[in-house]
Amino acid sequence: MAINILMPALSPTMEQGKLSKWLKKTGDSIRSGDVIAEIETDKATMEVEAVDEGVLGSILIAEGTDNVPVNTPIAVILADGEDASAAPAPKAASAAPAPVAAPAVVTAPAALPAASAPASSEIPAGTEMISMSVREALRDAMAEEMRRDETVFVMGEEVAEYQGAYKVTQGLLAEFGPRRVIDTPITEHGFAGLGVGAAMTGLRPIVEFMTFNFAMQAIDHIINSAAKTLYMSGGQMGCPIVFRGPNGAASRVGAQHSQDYAAWYSAVPGLKVVAPYTAADYKGLLKSAIRDPNPVIFLENEILYGQSFEVPKLDDFTVPIGKARVHREGRHVTLVSFSIGITYCIKAADELAKEGIEAEIIDLRTIRPMDTETIIASVKKTGRCVAVEEGYPQCGVTAEIAMRVMEHAFDYLDAPVMRVTGKDVPMPYAANLEKLALPNVGEVIAAAKATLYR
Amino acid sequence: MAGSAAIRSKPASAKTAPKPIEKSSAGPLEFSRDQELSAYREMLAIRRFEEKAGQLYGMGLIGGFCHLYIGQEAVVIGMQMAMKPGDQVITAYRDHGHMLACGMAARGVMAELTGRGGGYSRGKGGSMHMFSKEKHFYGGHGIVGAQVSLGTGLAFANHYRNNGSVSMVYFGDGAANQGQVYESFNMAELWKLPVVYLIENNRYAMGTSVSRASSQTDFSKRGLAHGIPGEQVDGMDVRAVKAAGAKALEFARSGKGPYILEMQTYRYRGHSMSDPAKYRSKEEVQKMREEHDPIEQVRGRLLRGKIATEDDLKEIDAKVRAVVNEAAEFASHDPEPDPSELWTDITL
Ligand SMILES: Cc1ncc(C[n+]2csc(CCOP(=O)(O)OP(=O)(O)O)c2C)c(N)n1
Ligand SMILES: [Mg+2]
């Protein structure tokens, strides 16, 4: 029986890819394990191996084709001796044998293509803007700071030769060499401590955690060694170090790999905690973090890595740590969030606008120190506040926001502050449960309406 | 690219040529007819299961991370042939082979990979997190190195209960550099815990070859400072694994404390599903497949020794495929967990 070879998904977040090369041609015999084609995603080029055996009956997608959706038939394998006429004619992707009950992939909240955040005071009027992914913005920020300051170096697992597990450090090894771009063994506690020690002497390490889930191996050094040294040494010795990497849920990677640490680190005096949303903020804040004399926890988001935003074309663009940004103006309700949480707020605000509700979105950007002033100014205007995060509700960042609003703007509130958070459960693997565990746009809309008694 | 001031513990040349797999010094390597056939069947079952899992991943039926065990089958099957009922197994995320070797059902494992209610963790764990109390399989861990302390704890419990069981703790060459491994080694030797540490040296931790991450690349010596004996084993030869495993298990069971076996093996596929594989050559992979494949080795012996005919082996393959296909069928149609499952099993 003829078997369709389908465009494979090669990563949790891949939806389409480029069929860059065929390594077999029609009529070639194929054994299981043979590499038959190469495909490209935004992260990497990868090989497609045959699972079935037979003869390559026909190629349905020519090499060089871009944006081939996952599960599109790309070729047909015939059993030995089978006639090529058994091969189904090339069909549109929709005719592909649909994977039975394929779990709905939790797709990344689509980026507003090159979302333009309201011009902020950080970007001089008339500045040329270029579209750039968060991944590129981070790489450029590190490269610029490494060019500027010889004491800056980056270390972590797979950051050098592999170009970063998520390709964030792409190209840095080639430019700066192995003295400053350093692959470590899998020893988080060890290299985090080593980084802190080096920082105590005045070097400026950027320590990448492959994901922040693995920083739990190192959390003792982050808190006991990095955060407290300045205080314990009576101000003699600080620790200018950046701990960075993807934080929070990715897609279908289960309980041990899907945790949001924003609230954890934000509870610790001595640390600064940054968690941006736009590429411009990723770039400007990472540069500020590297220059900051304190330990900075820089929380990235894997789902945002591939999304593009407008970034100012400036030689030295920085964004101050500790300043929130009004992402969208509105007068009826204030939505406060950070990092990927902003995507829920944007979609909710779009929906609310259809009903005449103008939501103001505040992107915190920095969790610690938290820009209370910007939140309070907005709440004084709208009288209503919804705080949104992917992390847990108990002792979450949203709980902190609600408390600050109570402390500073109680008399201005027309309704209790509401929050939308990840559910109070470890992240499940099953597609349907994972969807339920994360916050969603509907919950943000409902909370906003509740504050408006609608 | 190697600058003179680079942080490198080895000259560049030391990292390229993987050294040949060495033979273990342990006992007789001959397998009986039944042992050869059973090793063949069990290893093939893992291989076919993993190929199918790779296919389902490509179809979007499996999500997230999915680490395949293809190439390493002889390690778990050889150890399985050496262990006694009641001995525990614990490993990392590359765990499908270990579970099948422990006798866990292919359909339950596959349904967990697809995140369905019929999976071993009712869809809540996924590829990296499965457990079976009944089969003494303690997971399924996603944090590199964590299973080493946990597995030492299993051995502590055996010692505490004096139940005669040994804990088999599997971890990778990359994991072997985590600090908790050495904290565990110290306690295990100090308290003479019944544990066998199985370092599955497949030469790479993601994209990092052993020589780029390890100052001591002979993992059998990693316990020397603590006085833990160890040995290197040809992990592609199921007979060598079984012989070394039997010796190590006997050592641990007799109250002499921990034992380390470095299983020299190889993974054919990428680290997880998305792996650009720029860190090794195609020729290197091809050579391992052609010259050291654990299943082909047994197959060759079966045919040469006239223990089985081509037709016999085809029949075994057909049976193995039938089980795997049935598992995939189940895993594709079994419903997702009930939404109420989101809130269960958090605390008792
Ligand atoms: C503490 C921790 N750090 C990093 C990772 C990411 N990671 C997952 S697997 C892996 C490589 C492990 O290699 P090895 O121990 O050799 O096992 P193998 O994958 O070869 O079986 C890394 C770095 C992790 N899961 N946990
Ligand atoms: Mg390895």
Side-chain angles (χ1 to χ4, degrees), chain A residues 157-158 165-166 185-188 191 209-211 213-217 256-257, chain B residues 65 67-69 72 91-94 128 141-147 171-178 180 199-208 210 219 267 270-272:
Chain A
E157 292 156 23
E158 309 288 358
Y166 297 98
I186 310 172
T187 51
E188 288 84 5
F191 68 73
F209 292 116
M210 192 173 284
T211 78
N213 302 289
F214 316 139
M216 276 207 283
Q217 300 287 314
Q256 293 185 334
H257 283 70
Chain B
F65 294 128
H67 310 83
L68 302 182
Y69 197 62
Q72 302 182 211
T91 187
Y93 43 81
R94 198 178 300 287
M128 299 187 286
H141 298 272
I143 300 303
V144 169
Q147 77 275 23
F171 55 104
D173 48 281
N177 294 323
Q178 285 284 35
Q180 60 181 313
I199 305 181
E200 295 195 69
N201 177 3
N202 59 11
R203 301 186 181 179
Y204 298 91
M206 231 170 223
T208 303
V210 163
F219 292 97
R267 85 170 139 69
H271 169 72
S272 176

Side-chain angles (χ1 to χ4, degrees), chain B residues 257-329:
Chain B
Y259 203 97
I260 294 172
L261 294 177
E262 173 191 339
M263 295 293 180
Q264 300 188 318
T265 181
Y266 200 77
R267 85 170 139 69
Y268 296 174
R269 294 292 186 96
H271 169 72
S272 176
M273 300 308 289
S274 71
D275 179 345
K278 296 267 160 61
Y279 51 85
R280 61 182 183 184
S281 68
K282 288 186 182 136
E283 291 69 40
E284 183 186 310
V285 183
Q286 204 49 37
K287 199 167 147 59
M288 286 305 289
R289 284 188 141 151
E290 275 163 16
E291 296 174 12
H292 295 285
D293 187 79
I295 299 175
E296 286 301 319
Q297 287 187 43
V298 185
R299 186 185 156 83
R301 290 198 300 272
L302 285 169
L303 293 174
R304 279 196 311 276
K306 306 228 170 353
I307 300 172
T309 63
E310 286 276 2
D311 281 345
D312 295 337
L313 298 186
K314 271 201 176 130
E315 199 182 309
I316 293 179
D317 194 41
K319 279 189 182 144
V320 163
R321 273 186 199 272
V323 172
V324 168
N325 288 340
E326 193 277 331
E329 193 55 26

Side-chain angles (χ1 to χ4, degrees), chain B residues 35-227:
Chain B
Q35 285 174 319
E36 292 281 30
L37 276 169
S38 139
Y40 181 73
R41 193 180 313 109
E42 301 298 321
M43 291 196 289
L44 197 65
I46 296 177
R47 173 86 41 110
R48 296 286 175 255
F49 181 95
E50 294 291 67
E51 287 167 352
K52 183 58 86 179
Q55 194 177 29
L56 295 190
Y57 192 99
M59 291 163 70
L61 281 160
I62 297 172
F65 294 128
C66 183
H67 310 83
L68 302 182
Y69 197 62
I70 296 178
Q72 302 182 211
E73 297 91 344
V75 178
V76 285
I77 294 305
M79 287 307 297
Q80 203 60 25
M81 293 173 83
M83 71 183 267
K84 291 217 166 102
D87 289 349
Q88 302 108 330
V89 171
I90 189 166
T91 187
Y93 43 81
R94 198 178 300 287
D95 55 356
H96 312 163
H98 302 71
M99 293 186 282
L100 297 176
C102 285
M104 289 167 68
R107 55 172 14 219
V109 178
M110 198 69 96
E112 190 59 37
L113 299 188
T114 56
R116 307 307 171 95
Y120 268 100
S121 300
R122 297 213 293 276
K124 291 156 81 164
S127 160
M128 299 187 286
H129 310 300
M130 274 176 258
F131 306 79
S132 169
K133 212 162 181 186
E134 183 202 344
K135 303 288 182 189
H136 306 286
F137 179 72
Y138 284 81
H141 298 272
I143 300 303
V144 169
Q147 77 275 23
V148 182
S149 310
L150 300 173
T152 307
L154 301 175
F156 180 89
N158 292 336
H159 182 68
Y160 190 88
R161 295 199 171 93
N162 197 17
N163 64 8
S165 293
V166 179
S167 156
M168 292 157 51
V169 181
Y170 291 86
F171 55 104
D173 48 281
N177 294 323
Q178 285 284 35
Q180 60 181 313
V181 171
Y182 300 92
E183 300 178 20
S184 301
F185 282 2
N186 184 43
M187 290 184 282
E189 177 63 25
L190 183 66
W191 298 327
K192 300 282 181 210
L193 302 182
V195 50
V196 176
Y197 295 108
L198 296 138
I199 305 181
E200 295 195 69
N201 177 3
N202 59 11
R203 301 186 181 179
Y204 298 91
M206 231 170 223
T208 303
S209 63
V210 163
S211 59
R212 292 206 305 117
S214 290
S215 52
Q216 171 55 276
T217 56
D218 179 345
F219 292 97
S220 69
K221 296 197 177 125
R222 289 290 184 102
L224 279 190
H226 303 282

Side-chain angles (χ1 to χ4, degrees), chain A residues 3 6-13 23 31-35 38 43-47 49-53 70-71 97-105 157-158 160-162 165-167 173-174 177-179 181-189 210 213-214 217 251-257 302 423-434 436-437, chain B residues 1-3 5-8 15 48 51-52 54-55 57-65 111-116 122-129 140-144 146 174-175 177-180 183 205-208 212-214 268-279 282 289 296 321 332-334 336-343 345-346:
Chain A
I3 300 165
L6 306 179
M7 182 73 172
L10 293 171
S11 78
T13 47
L23 300 169
R31 289 187 27 94
S32 112
D34 283 354
V35 176
E38 283 180 7
K43 280 186 228 161
T45 303
M46 280 162 285
E47 293 172 342
E49 282 183 15
V51 180
D52 301 291
E53 319 222 321
V70 165
N71 272 331
V100 193
V105 176
E157 292 156 23
E158 309 288 358
E161 295 200 7
Y162 199 82
Y166 297 98
K167 298 287 169 280
L173 175 66
R179 177 173 166 258
V181 184
I182 302 155
D183 278 326
T184 62
I186 310 172
T187 51
E188 288 84 5
H189 191 221
M210 192 173 284
N213 302 289
F214 316 139
Q217 300 287 314
S251 171
R252 307 288 309 282
V253 292
Q256 293 185 334
H257 283 70
E302 191 201 327
K423 307 302 176 290
D424 201 13
V425 303
M427 184 62 80
Y429 166 74
N432 64 330
L433 299 186
E434 185 186 63
L436 292 172
Chain B
M1 157 208 63
I7 294 191
R8 284 281 177 281
K15 81 178 187 205
R48 296 286 175 255
E51 287 167 352
K52 183 58 86 179
Q55 194 177 29
Y57 192 99
M59 291 163 70
L61 281 160
I62 297 172
F65 294 128
E112 190 59 37
L113 299 188
T114 56
R116 307 307 171 95
R122 297 213 293 276
K124 291 156 81 164
S127 160
M128 299 187 286
H129 310 300
H141 298 272
I143 300 303
V144 169
N177 294 323
Q178 285 284 35
Q180 60 181 313
E183 300 178 20
M206 231 170 223
T208 303
R212 292 206 305 117
S214 290
Y268 296 174
R269 294 292 186 96
H271 169 72
S272 176
M273 300 308 289
S274 71
D275 179 345
K278 296 267 160 61
Y279 51 85
K282 288 186 182 136
R289 284 188 141 151
E296 286 301 319
R321 273 186 199 272
S332 311
H333 290 97
D334 190 45
E336 291 186 314
D338 189 86
S340 64
E341 286 284 352
L342 184 64
W343 299 100
D345 309 323
I346 297 160

